[in-house]
């Protein structure tokens, strides 16, 4: 039976239901928490609100990766049948457990490399859960091929490594059926997590680009799930990423995590830029933490490169097999200097470029011939396809050419190792190599340099094997590409552009010529970093930040909105709720002295409307409210007074506050007043030239001159450049206006300079003060606005009852537009809901129009942002 959430998936991808493999036996500790989110639509009513108390005391982490950290072997001896499993000690998912602490129980969810027959899946699943705390996701072979070899390796992986599918032979063109397979497999993984999760207590840590939509499925089922995601590949720049047809779906899916991790700041910066450009979601940095505000949730960003497992490396270094292999290689390369490359045989590792640079080294430096050897270990490619075959063919061709031209008896310049090596064999090559070359043209992290540095530190036994003094300083040299994730952390390495063969050749030569003390100094610097920033340190740091990111979950009130992969959760304060029209109309009818303050742009009319002039419907509603003698109605706007006078000339009894309350007019026939002493706006002569400078250098920006303020608007500019320029302008203006009686404020796509103390709350205070003087305290206050400038009004009216400005029994309605963090206690979704609410209030006024007016002159105040 297809689940409700998968039904949404079908709507999104227009694909058919895949033929899932038969499910597992019911596993222990299956989550059965009842849903509590009654405000969701039908398909979301089952979302786990997770309000039930938990009986689990021990913290638990569910680690989800494409593959389980297991090795599997078919039993085929002694008449035994079935499978034998063991831990894969090389798996990062297993190694990171060391950083989580002994008090954290770990459960793994992932697939197996081997295909398990459907008749064996139940027994295998139970064995893995009971013996290894592993939950296998059995993926049908055809579906897995489309998911992994299709969408992941032929499309997503090349794109994330900056390869655009400009032709069918270059990368992979987007295929909707492969995308459907990708989503389907993510859904299967989500179902497996749901079988074992205790949503109030467990943490979930999802790994890598194979499972980028998994956070949406988990967040949809458990709105308060504690969810982290780490991307182990590069994240491309927005120019590359925006070519992805499902770019929005993947971004929104990742933002359903609480914490998103990247190896480098560049990768995080690209992700943040994509969120800004494609979703309009900006980030802020506070006290060292980067976060995105996404529908009331703060999605934290973690930047920390992964490390290696020091214990595993040291244990392998101590093996007798390693010592024997080192001795063998010592004899093989006696009197020769070994340069080492260790790479997967794929298009992004730059093996052929490295070989060409080495060929040039031997060509230009004849003295190196016979003395320098390049050992290139070529691991099998993880993907498959034409590009892999081309890389393999080119690598063999260049290596053969170099050996033919420069080789001689007893000297083979390029030693190409393309057979599977045991880990101890690879370690032995590290130990005897003078320099390690990692020249990938693009790589997410690459831990080869880290492993090399630790192995060059060696052990006493290995020093003895190599005839080295154990007490002598260790040395190593690294040549690394600028385009790999580990490069920023290796400050002592020689960094190169792998595309520049001349530069790589010179780096090889320099690495061989560096004085011994400098080699020792570089090695010490690298070893100190690598040994302290190991995989345990990385995992512990990520877990700490995940706990911090999730600590407010329990006190937040959550909604689920959206369909399919557009689903997201809104998390707000428990007291924040939707304004009931029936409730406010009831309060409106039974009260006698009402104050109504309104915003216009974004409240009475949508921001997306090209013509912001109020329509006939809005004017008619306002006039009905103004005709009720019990009402004082005011518009408080950021617009200048000339525009507001023209727009609302037919609203004779309505009050207006212009330029955020600097100017006030109680009604149409009254004169404009100011809430502040007479101002000398000489500061404009200082501020305007500065703004003009930034306008000329920022395409799409402009200056809006008001009588009391100057506004620099960059809404039409490039979002990243505009935001950068706004920060510079803000600092520049604060500097030149430091001694002036003005404030510099940054808002949504604006930087504004205005007299100190000017805000919309001033108008609200003035209206309440006026009513106190007349000893007619409002018993009904309604204030509606949609942006930050309206928060000042909300703050004033919310505190008015405490300072005696309102009747003790006053009904106060501070309402914002849309569900977002606010000082208001209520919200309405959009302008259409607001107009319907006001229409109901206006109709109520018409019904009681014959009653006596008990409140002073009718005025309506509308706040326009």
């Amino acid at each position: 039976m297809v689940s409700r959430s998968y039904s949404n998936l079908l709507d999104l991808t227009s694909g058919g239901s895949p033929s899932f493999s038969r499910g597992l036996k019911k596993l222990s500790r299956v989550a059965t928490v009842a849903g509590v989110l009654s405000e969701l639509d039908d398909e979301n009513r089952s979302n786990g609100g997770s309000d039930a108390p938990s009986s689990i005391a021990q913290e638990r982490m569910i680690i989800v990766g494409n593959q389980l950290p297991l090795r599997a072997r078919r039993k085929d001896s002694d008449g035994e049948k079935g499978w034998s499993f063991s831990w894969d000690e090389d798996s990062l998912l297993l190694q990171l457990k060391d950083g989580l602490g002994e008090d954290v129980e770990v459960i793994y969810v992932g697939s197996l490399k081997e295909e398990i027959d459907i008749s064996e899946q139940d027994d295998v699943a139970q064995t893995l859960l009971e013996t290894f705390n592993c939950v296998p996701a059995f993926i049908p072979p055809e579906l897995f091929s489309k998911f992994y070899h299709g969408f992941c390796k032929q499309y997503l992986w090349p794109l994330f490594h900056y390869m655009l599918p400009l032709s069918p032979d270059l990368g992979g063109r987007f295929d909707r059926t492969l995308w459907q397979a990708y989503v389907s497999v993510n859904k299967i993984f989500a179902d497996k997590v749901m079988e074992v999760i205790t949503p109030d207590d467990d943490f979930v840590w999802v790994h890598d680009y194979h499972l980028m939509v998994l956070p949406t499925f988990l967040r949809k089922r458990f709105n308060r799930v504690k969810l982290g995601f780490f991307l182990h590949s590069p994240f491309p720049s927005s120019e590359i990423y925006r070519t992805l047809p499902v770019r929005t779906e993947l971004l929104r899916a990742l933002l359903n995590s609480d914490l998103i991790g990247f190896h480098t700041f560049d990768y995080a910066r690209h992700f943040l830029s994509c969120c800004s450009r494609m979703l309009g979601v900006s980030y802020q940095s506070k006290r060292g933490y980067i976060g995105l505000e996404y529908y009331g949730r703060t999605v934290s960003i973690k930047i920390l490169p992964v490390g290696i497992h020091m214990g595993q490396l040291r244990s392998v270094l101590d093996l007798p097999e390693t010592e024997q292999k080192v001795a063998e290689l010592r004899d093989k390369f006696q009197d020769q200097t070994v340069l080492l490359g260790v790479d997967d045989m794929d298009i992004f590792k730059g093996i052929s470029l490295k070989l060409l640079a080495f060929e040039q080294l031997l060509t230009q430096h004849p003295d190196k011939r016979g003395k320098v050897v390049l050992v290139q270990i070529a691991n099998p490619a993880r993907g498959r396809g034409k590009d892999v075959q081309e890389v393999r063919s080119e690598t063999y061709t260049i290596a053969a050419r170099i050996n033919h031209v420069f080789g001689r008896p007893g000297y083979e310049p390029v030693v190409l190792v393309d057979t599977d090596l045991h880990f101890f064999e690879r370690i032995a090559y590290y130990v005897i190599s003078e320099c390690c070359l990692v020249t990938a043209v693009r790589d997410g992290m690459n831990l080869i340099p880290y492993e090399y540095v630790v192995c060059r530190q060696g052990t006493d036994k290995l020093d003895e094997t190599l005839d080295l003094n154990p007490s002598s300083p260790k040395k190593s040299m690294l040549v690394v590409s600028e385009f790999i994730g580990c490069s920023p952390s290796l400050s002592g390495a020689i960094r190169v552009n792998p595309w520049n063969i001349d530069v790589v050749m010179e780096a090889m030569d320099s690495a061989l010529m560096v004085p011994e003390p400098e080699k020792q100094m570089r090695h010490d610097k690298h070893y100190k970093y690598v040994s302290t920033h190991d995989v345990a340190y990385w995992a512990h740091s990520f877990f700490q930040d995940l706990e911090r990111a999730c600590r407010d979950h329990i006190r937040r009130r959550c909604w689920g909105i959206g369909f399919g992969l557009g689903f997201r959760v809104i998390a707000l304060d428990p007291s924040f709720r939707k304004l009931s029209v029936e409730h406010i109309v009831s309060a409106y009818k039974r009260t006698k002295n009402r104050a109504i303050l309104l915003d216009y742009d974004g409240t009475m009319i949508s921001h997306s409307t090209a013509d912001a002039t109020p329509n006939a419907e809005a004017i008619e509603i306002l006039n009905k409210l103004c005709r009720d003698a019990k009402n004082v109605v005011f518009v408080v706007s950021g617009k200048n007074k000339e525009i507001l006078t023209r727009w609302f000339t037919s609203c004779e009894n309505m009050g207006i506050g212009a330029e955020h309350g600097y100017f006030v007019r109680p009604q149409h026939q009254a004169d404009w007043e100011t809430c502040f002493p007479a101002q000398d706006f000489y500061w404009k002569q200082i501020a305007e030239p500065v703004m003009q400078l930034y306008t000329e250098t920022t395409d799409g920006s402009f200056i809006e001159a008001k009588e009391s303020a100057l506004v620099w608007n960059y809404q039409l500019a490039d979002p990243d450049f505009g935001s950068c320029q706004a920060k510079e302008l803000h600092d520049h203006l604060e500097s030149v206006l430091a001694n002036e009686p003005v404030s510099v404020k940054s808002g949504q796509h604006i930087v504004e300079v205005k007299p100190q103390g000017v805000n919309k709350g001033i108008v609200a205070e003035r209206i309440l003060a006026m009513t106190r003087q007349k000893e007619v305290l409002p018993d009904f206050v309604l204030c509606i606005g949609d942006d930050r400038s309206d928060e000042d009004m909300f703050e004033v009216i919310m505190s008015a009852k405490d300072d005696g400005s309102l009747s003790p029994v006053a009904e106060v309605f501070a309402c914002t537009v849309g569900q977002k963090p606010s000082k208001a206690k209520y919200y309405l979704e959009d302008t259409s809901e607001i107009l319907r609410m006001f229409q109901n209030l206006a109709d109520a006024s018409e019904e009681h129009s014959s009653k006596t007016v008990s409140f002073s002159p009718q005025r309506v105040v509308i706040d326009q942002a």
Side-chain angles (χ1 to χ4, degrees):
M1 179 179 178
V2 180
S3 69
R4 286 194 182 97
S5 54
Y6 189 70
S7 298
N8 273 343
L9 169 65
L10 295 177
D11 294 338
L12 174 76
T13 62
S14 302
S17 171
S19 55
F20 294 104
S21 59
R22 190 170 64 187
L24 302 177
K25 294 177 183 176
K26 200 64 175 179
L27 303 177
S28 60
R29 298 181 63 167
V30 174
T32 56
V33 178
V36 297
L37 299 176
S38 59
E39 293 177 88
L40 302 182
D41 56 32
D42 287 343
E43 76 162 29
N44 295 330
R45 289 189 187 278
S46 62
N47 285 354
S50 59
D51 285 343
S54 169
S55 60
I56 309 299
Q58 183 183 25
E59 282 189 320
R60 191 166 68 160
M61 172 74 81
I62 300 175
I63 297 176
V64 191
N66 177 44
Q67 291 184 341
L68 290 171
L70 295 173
R71 290 191 175 98
R73 181 178 58 83
R74 166 73 75 174
K75 296 177 181 178
D76 55 4
S77 61
D78 300 328
E80 287 188 89
K81 293 184 178 180
W83 292 87
S84 173
F85 296 95
S86 61
W87 289 115
D88 181 359
E89 301 292 339
D90 296 334
S91 172
L92 174 67
L93 300 187
L94 180 64
Q95 294 172 358
L96 67 82
K97 185 178 178 181
D98 288 358
L100 301 181
E102 296 181 358
D103 57 336
V104 178
E105 179 188 357
V106 175
I107 289 184
Y108 293 100
V109 176
S111 63
L112 291 166
K113 297 178 184 178
E114 291 73 17
E115 183 181 343
I116 308 296
D117 187 84
I118 193 171
S119 63
E120 301 175 294
Q121 289 177 5
D122 284 354
D123 292 335
V124 167
Q126 202 67 30
T127 298
L128 293 184
L129 182 66
E130 294 171 354
T131 308
F132 298 95
N133 253 17
C134 290
V135 179
F138 297 112
I139 315 297
E142 182 179 355
L143 182 63
F144 182 83
S145 179
K146 290 181 179 180
F147 155 73
Y148 184 76
H149 296 292
F151 191 77
C152 289
K153 282 299 180 182
Q154 290 300 312
Y155 187 77
L156 206 55
W157 186 73
L159 188 74
F160 275 34
H161 287 75
Y162 286 73
M163 175 183 280
L164 290 173
L166 300 177
S167 71
D169 294 333
L170 185 62
R173 291 282 175 85
F174 182 79
D175 185 333
R176 181 67 59 174
T177 60
L178 299 182
W179 163 245
Q180 292 167 1
Y182 180 83
V183 178
S184 299
V185 170
N186 275 249
K187 177 62 172 60
I188 294 174
F189 274 76
D191 290 340
K192 292 302 173 185
V193 174
M194 293 174 194
E195 288 180 354
V196 293
I197 190 172
T198 304
D200 276 345
D201 301 282
D202 295 347
F203 292 88
V204 181
W205 188 355
V206 181
H207 289 265
D208 223 2
Y209 64 94
H210 314 89
L211 302 172
M212 290 175 70
V213 300
L214 179 58
T216 288
F217 292 118
L218 295 179
R219 184 70 62 190
K220 183 171 189 161
R221 178 63 182 87
F222 305 112
N223 291 167
R224 295 185 182 88
V225 65
K226 303 170 185 177
L227 178 58
F229 181 92
F230 200 96
L231 183 67
H232 294 274
S233 77
F235 196 95
S237 66
S238 61
E239 288 76 13
I240 299 294
Y241 181 81
R242 70 198 312 166
T243 64
L244 184 62
V246 289
R247 60 191 189 183
T248 302
E249 289 89 334
L250 289 180
L251 286 180
R252 289 199 183 279
L254 289 178
L255 290 175
N256 276 320
S257 307
D258 294 298
L259 177 65
I260 305 173
F262 299 92
H263 287 306
T264 72
F265 174 70
D266 277 347
Y267 304 160
R269 177 169 55 86
H270 294 157
F271 173 75
L272 295 171
S273 176
C274 289
C275 290
S276 173
R277 291 174 177 274
M278 296 166 210
L279 300 180
V281 178
S282 58
Y283 73 93
Q284 289 185 329
S285 181
K286 295 181 180 179
R287 298 184 178 180
Y289 295 104
I290 300 174
L292 299 104
E293 289 298 323
Y294 187 62
Y295 291 91
R297 296 173 49 245
T298 298
V299 181
S300 298
I301 302 298
K302 176 76 172 177
I303 301 170
L304 184 66
V306 69
I308 59 175
H309 194 286
M310 293 293 295
Q312 182 197 24
L313 265 180
R314 285 168 175 157
S315 64
V316 176
L317 283 169
D318 287 333
L319 291 176
E321 294 92 333
T322 304
E323 185 179 346
Q324 294 171 8
K325 186 66 178 179
V326 167
E328 175 189 328
L329 295 176
R330 176 202 61 194
D331 296 339
K332 179 177 180 180
F333 297 109
Q334 191 170 13
D335 300 326
Q336 294 177 337
T337 300
V338 177
L339 305 179
L340 178 66
V342 181
D343 304 278
D344 291 345
M345 186 72 81
D346 69 51
I347 55 178
F348 296 111
K349 294 303 187 287
I351 297 177
S352 59
L353 295 173
K354 186 190 307 178
L355 292 174
L356 291 173
F358 183 67
E359 182 180 34
Q360 194 160 319
L361 177 71
L362 297 181
T363 301
Q364 297 187 13
H365 298 273
D367 58 303
K368 300 291 191 299
R369 301 171 190 173
K371 298 178 180 178
V372 180
V373 175
L374 173 60
V375 176
Q376 178 61 56
I377 298 175
N379 301 317
R382 302 179 189 181
R384 62 190 184 191
K386 183 178 178 181
D387 54 348
V388 174
Q389 300 304 321
E390 291 175 350
V391 169
R392 185 187 301 275
S393 175
E394 183 182 20
T395 298
Y396 279 101
T397 300
I398 298 174
R401 184 177 72 229
I402 295 173
N403 288 334
H404 175 73
V405 173
F406 300 104
R408 60 179 185 234
Y411 174 60
E412 186 180 14
V414 176
V415 178
L416 194 59
V417 182
D418 60 352
T419 57
D420 286 335
L421 294 180
H422 293 292
F423 191 35
F424 76 86
E425 294 177 299
R426 194 169 88 217
I427 294 296
Y429 277 103
Y430 287 143
V431 171
I432 59 96
S433 299
E434 187 71 15
C435 177
C436 183
L437 311 172
V438 183
T439 56
V441 297
R442 185 72 62 177
D443 208 352
M445 183 57 195
N446 201 315
L447 296 175
I448 298 300
Y450 288 8
E451 294 178 349
Y452 169 72
V453 168
V454 174
C455 292
R456 289 289 289 179
Q457 186 70 14
T459 65
D460 290 346
K461 286 185 178 180
L462 293 178
D463 287 342
E464 185 179 338
T465 302
L466 295 171
D467 298 325
L468 297 175
N469 183 353
S471 61
S472 63
K474 310 301 181 183
K475 60 182 181 178
S476 64
M477 283 299 298
L478 284 168
V479 176
V480 300
S481 165
E482 300 170 357
F483 306 116
I484 62 176
C486 66
S487 176
S489 61
L490 297 170
S491 57
I494 301 176
R495 296 192 183 99
V496 296
N497 174 3
W499 298 102
N500 191 330
I501 294 174
D502 291 333
V503 169
V504 177
M505 181 272 293
E506 292 171 0
M508 291 180 180
D509 186 42
S510 298
L512 297 173
M513 303 298 292
V514 168
E516 295 297 303
E518 185 175 343
K519 290 181 181 179
Q520 296 163 6
M521 180 271 293
R522 291 173 186 251
H523 173 81
D524 288 343
K525 180 186 292 187
H526 291 157
Y527 183 75
K528 182 178 180 180
Y529 175 84
V530 172
S531 60
T532 55
H533 293 73
D534 61 356
V535 66
Y537 173 87
W538 171 77
H540 178 70
S541 179
F542 188 90
F543 187 34
Q544 276 190 324
D545 279 7
L546 182 58
E547 287 182 311
R548 177 187 56 80
C550 300
R551 64 188 173 198
D552 290 336
H553 276 19
I554 194 65
R555 69 176 189 84
R556 307 292 286 185
R557 187 164 176 259
C558 298
W559 290 261
I561 63 172
F563 296 94
L565 295 181
F567 177 85
R568 58 264 190 208
V569 164
I570 296 169
L572 298 168
D573 191 271
S575 62
F576 188 72
R577 58 189 182 275
K578 188 167 185 176
L579 180 59
S580 166
V581 175
E582 292 78 9
H583 176 48
I584 192 171
V585 169
S586 174
Y588 185 86
K589 287 181 177 179
R590 65 174 177 265
T591 50
K592 300 179 179 180
N593 304 305
R594 311 184 192 111
I596 302 174
L597 295 91
L598 305 165
D599 176 40
Y600 179 72
D601 280 337
T603 302
M604 295 291 285
I605 193 167
S606 173
H607 282 298
S608 61
T609 304
D611 183 8
T613 305
N615 55 34
E617 179 187 9
I619 294 295
E620 177 61 24
I621 290 173
L622 292 174
N623 277 324
K624 284 183 179 180
L625 292 172
C626 290
R627 284 195 291 266
D628 191 331
K630 298 178 180 179
N631 293 343
V632 170
V633 188
F634 251 86
V635 175
V636 187
S637 168
K639 299 290 186 184
N640 63 51
K641 57 187 181 182
E642 288 76 17
I643 291 178
L644 296 176
T645 298
R646 184 172 69 251
W647 281 357
F648 300 108
T649 187
S650 60
C651 300
E652 296 185 358
N653 293 324
M654 187 176 73
I656 298 177
E659 300 189 16
H660 291 142
Y662 186 84
F663 296 106
V664 177
R665 190 183 68 182
Q667 56 185 358
H668 184 65
Q669 299 301 325
D671 294 329
W672 285 98
E673 305 170 6
T674 179
C675 300
F676 299 87
Q679 295 279 330
D680 184 351
F681 295 105
Y682 63 89
W683 53 264
K684 288 186 177 182
Q685 299 174 20
I686 304 173
E688 190 164 10
V690 176
M691 286 188 174
Q692 189 61 44
L693 173 65
Y694 284 82
T695 302
E696 292 171 357
T697 57
T698 311
D699 188 32
S701 66
F702 60 91
I703 300 172
E704 182 182 355
K706 302 178 182 179
E707 191 169 336
S708 68
L710 285 175
V711 180
W712 187 73
N713 190 306
Y714 61 97
Q715 186 171 5
L716 303 178
D718 177 272
D720 287 340
F721 184 57
S723 177
C724 178
Q725 290 288 80
K727 292 174 184 177
E728 290 292 327
L729 175 59
H730 186 280
D731 292 343
H732 196 161
L733 288 171
E734 282 195 331
S735 176
V736 299
L737 297 172
N739 298 320
E740 307 301 330
V742 296
S743 60
V744 183
K745 300 289 185 183
S746 294
Q748 190 170 11
H749 300 118
I750 65 164
V751 176
E752 182 175 24
V753 182
K754 59 185 178 181
Q756 290 177 348
V758 175
N759 61 69
K760 293 181 178 181
I762 296 295
V763 179
E765 290 177 350
R766 179 167 178 168
I767 296 171
L768 296 176
M770 179 183 63
T771 60
R772 277 200 308 271
Q773 291 174 359
K774 297 183 178 181
E775 298 183 352
V776 181
L777 299 182
D779 54 5
F780 176 98
V781 180
L782 170 61
C783 181
I784 299 186
D786 77 306
D787 64 18
R788 276 186 211 167
S789 63
D790 303 309
E791 297 295 316
D792 294 315
M793 288 197 299
F794 297 152
E795 187 174 12
V796 169
I797 69 164
M798 293 300 294
S799 61
K801 188 181 290 188
D802 296 333
D803 61 20
S805 298
L806 300 180
S807 166
V809 294
E811 301 267 14
V812 179
F813 299 92
C815 180
T816 188
V817 182
Q819 303 177 32
K820 57 179 179 285
S822 172
K823 294 175 183 176
K825 296 301 181 183
Y826 299 95
Y827 75 91
L828 288 172
E829 293 287 0
D830 50 34
T831 57
S832 61
E833 286 195 354
I834 290 169
L835 286 174
R836 281 197 298 270
M837 184 267 293
F838 275 124
Q839 185 63 62
N840 278 278
L841 298 183
D843 292 343
S845 285
E846 294 253 301
E847 294 174 7
H848 297 81
S849 59
S850 61
K851 293 191 176 181
T852 306
V853 177
S854 60
F855 198 11
S856 62
Q858 314 160 359
R859 287 179 239 150
V860 175
V861 181
I862 299 181
D863 164 27
Q864 174 178 338

